Every structure is written in C-alpha cells, then in structure tokens.
Amino acid sequence: MASIRDRMKQLVPTQVTVRVKESLVDYGVRTSDRRPLPDFLIIGTKRGGTTSLWNYLIQHPLVPRLFPAWNTKSAHYFEEHWGRGEAWYRSHFPTQRQRDALARRHGGPVRVGEAAPLYMFHPLAAQRVAALMPTVKLIVLLRDPVERAYSHWKERRTHGIEPLDFAAALAAEPERTAGERERLIAEPESFSEAYDWYTYRARGRYLEHLEPWLERFDRSQILFLPSEDLYGDARATYRRTLDFLGLPAYDLPNFKVYNDRRSAPLDPAVRAELTDYYRPYNDALRQRLGLDLDWADRAA
C-alpha cells in the first residue's frame, strides 16, 4: 500500500495544474477589456465538419487559438455559459496587443473566432450574438441531414451516452426532448444535455434553425458550405473560407479529417424513412438559400 507521503506526491502535480489553470482563467477575465470579441463564428452544424474546418483555420498564421490553450474550439458562451457574462467570454480570445503582434509578424489581418455547432440550433443564440456582435461573420456547414443524424447517433453511442439503436433512438427523441426547447427560452441561463445529445432528427430541419440568424444578419455576413464539399475537396473549401474571412492564401500540407467515425451502413429502411421525412425541409432550404444541395440525389 502506498504511504501517505507517496499519495501526497501524486496529488501535488494535479493541485499545481488546477492552480495554474485557475490563475490563467482569472488572468483572462481580468484582462478582458483588452480582448476584442471574435471576428467569426462557425455555428454549425453538429457532425458537419466543424472540427475539421476549425483545425484547418487555426493552422493559418493569422488565426490564433483560443485562450487558455486547453480550450479546443469554443467557449460555448451563447448556449451553455451565458450566465458567466461578457468579460468571461472575452477572456477566451487574444488581446489587442497579441493581435497587433501577429499582424506585424505575418503582414496581414488577424481573424479570431470559435466553432460551436450548438449555436445554430439553440433557440436564443442568434439574438444573443446579434446583440453583442452585430458585424460578426458566420460560417454554416450543412450536411445531408440523414447522414448527419446517423453520425450524431454514432458519436453519442461511442461516448457511451446512447444505449438505444438508431431506429429506437429516433423513436424516443420526441419524449426525450419534450419541453426542453421551451425550457431554454423560459430559463435563459439553463442548459439542456438532452437538447444537445438526443436531437438526431430535429437538428436536420436546418431552415427552421437558420431563420433567426437570417432575420438578424445580412446575407453577406454568412457563408454557407455544404459539408460534402468540405469532404470532397477540403483544400478548395478552405480557400473559399479564407477568402470570406479576408485572409491571405495559405496552403496546408494535408487536410486530415477530424472526428471521423466508421461504422456499418445505415439500415436502408431507416434511410428511406428519413429521406422522405427531410425532403420538404430540404426543398424549402434550397429555395430560401438558393443553394444547390443534391442530398436526395446522393441518397438515391
């Protein structure tokens, strides 16, 4: 059995790490008035390639990472941490001095952002973003909703959160998520894991969730990217994104796919049911956005 001294030695690095993290978080908040708000947000969709696109962007020398370094791609402010306040949100981004240093070093404009797929789906996120950052640029990845739903379920299954098979999970979705959207609106500082985890079908009704953003932001501020374009030609999609953000060209040595989850093919009967379900929603989305989304053709 380990002695008390041995156990204390094991605890010390953890305690030091916690103190260092707390100190960095506190420093970020104390210097929040020197930290400009982000220039862009990747707001969705979940399982649509947001992690891959984010990782491509932060390899650009003029796109800094979040602060502190352990923050991967998002502060989750506009959906999960709204109650923490603006200073806390600003604490996640580089200072103006750091921005200026990067701009001098690399001879171009700095663009700071975050990627949070739940932003597009959250009922209050659009109005919150518009009130705080009316000129921010928005990037929206849209994936075939059938494939998106299946990939969403695979992620939950892999994480040990989803005990049901896909068909059963789709059937259980209405009961699991009943009243959660309404609760998020009625209790603005609340967060719903069920609304995030189990909305396999609902998240694919894209236009329903995009309308609040389209109502509040000029179309020139929004870049819509079919996820299939990112998967098929990541380099071209990356270049298009850089152009939208006003960043100079910067090539990457490779375009690794992040968070890819291989599995058995989707059951044909479930695919057919979901394809029929989404058809009118996809048609309305195409008409509203004027985009060529050939999801039904791909499925066929």
Side-chain angles (χ1 to χ4, degrees):
M1 179 180 294
S3 68
I4 293 176
R5 179 176 294 181
D6 290 337
R7 290 200 295 269
M8 289 301 294
K9 286 181 180 179
Q10 293 171 0
L11 287 174
V12 167
T14 301
Q15 293 170 343
V16 171
T17 300
V18 169
R19 286 199 296 271
V20 169
K21 286 189 173 185
E22 289 175 347
S23 176
L24 286 171
V25 171
D26 180 63
Y27 171 74
V29 174
R30 286 188 287 106
T31 57
S32 62
D33 60 337
R34 306 174 216 166
R35 300 176 181 275
L37 292 164
D39 306 291
F40 71 91
L41 302 175
I42 303 176
I43 64 171
T45 184
K46 183 176 181 64
R47 306 304 302 161
T50 57
T51 300
S52 291
L53 183 58
W54 171 254
N55 279 281
Y56 303 154
L57 287 173
I58 60 175
Q59 292 180 64
H60 194 290
L62 290 164
V63 182
R65 295 171 179 267
L66 272 64
F67 176 86
W70 63 77
N71 287 300
T72 53
K73 64 178 182 178
S74 177
H76 297 287
Y77 176 58
F78 296 104
E79 19 89 331
E80 185 173 357
H81 299 300
W82 180 246
R84 293 178 180 264
E86 183 182 335
W88 181 86
Y89 182 54
R90 285 178 177 268
S91 75
H92 290 78
F93 305 106
T95 63
Q96 186 61 55
R97 182 177 179 180
Q98 291 168 326
R99 281 176 172 249
D100 294 343
L102 271 181
R104 288 194 301 271
R105 187 182 310 147
H106 299 288
V110 172
R111 296 291 184 261
V112 175
E114 62 163 334
L118 187 53
Y119 283 174
M120 185 178 92
F121 187 55
H122 193 280
L124 300 178
Q127 67 190 59
R128 291 170 172 174
V129 173
L132 186 61
M133 305 184 299
T135 61
V136 74
K137 290 196 171 186
L138 306 170
I139 299 171
V140 182
L141 287 151
L142 297 173
R143 183 181 184 181
D144 178 343
V146 176
E147 297 295 340
R148 194 223 67 81
Y150 189 41
S151 182
H152 186 169
W153 171 82
K154 287 188 288 184
E155 179 192 60
R156 298 294 84 196
R157 189 81 161 183
T158 302
H159 290 170
I161 293 168
E162 179 56 83
L164 303 177
D165 66 34
F166 186 44
L170 288 171
E173 180 176 333
E175 181 178 355
R176 282 171 156 181
T177 62
E180 291 301 291
R181 185 176 181 87
E182 292 75 17
R183 183 172 68 82
L184 290 172
I185 296 171
E187 304 171 13
E189 294 188 10
S190 65
F191 179 73
S192 170
E193 289 181 338
Y195 188 74
D196 184 15
W197 290 352
Y198 301 127
T199 45
Y200 306 116
R201 187 187 296 267
R203 286 208 194 199
R205 300 192 298 264
Y206 295 133
L207 186 56
E208 174 183 323
H209 313 301
L210 283 171
E211 282 293 1
W213 299 89
L214 293 167
E215 292 168 2
R216 290 171 172 84
F217 293 92
D218 188 84
R219 181 64 184 271
S220 64
Q221 292 175 249
I222 310 176
L223 175 64
F224 292 102
L225 297 171
S227 299
E228 291 74 18
D229 289 355
L230 179 66
Y231 302 147
D233 192 345
R235 179 169 276 104
T237 303
Y238 172 69
R239 289 173 179 168
R240 185 180 172 192
T241 306
L242 295 184
D243 184 62
F244 171 71
L245 295 175
L247 285 164
Y250 183 81
D251 203 15
L252 302 181
N254 63 75
F255 289 86
K256 170 186 172 182
V257 177
Y258 292 78
N259 287 351
D260 188 27
R261 300 184 186 279
R262 304 291 179 180
S263 70
L266 175 57
D267 178 81
V270 177
R271 178 182 296 280
E273 187 275 322
L274 284 175
T275 299
D276 288 342
Y277 174 82
Y278 284 123
R279 185 169 287 109
Y281 296 105
N282 293 344
D283 289 344
L285 180 70
R286 291 187 187 95
Q287 184 174 357
R288 179 76 165 89
L289 301 184
L291 295 179
D292 182 17
L293 302 170
D294 61 346
W295 295 324
D297 294 336
R298 289 174 186 268

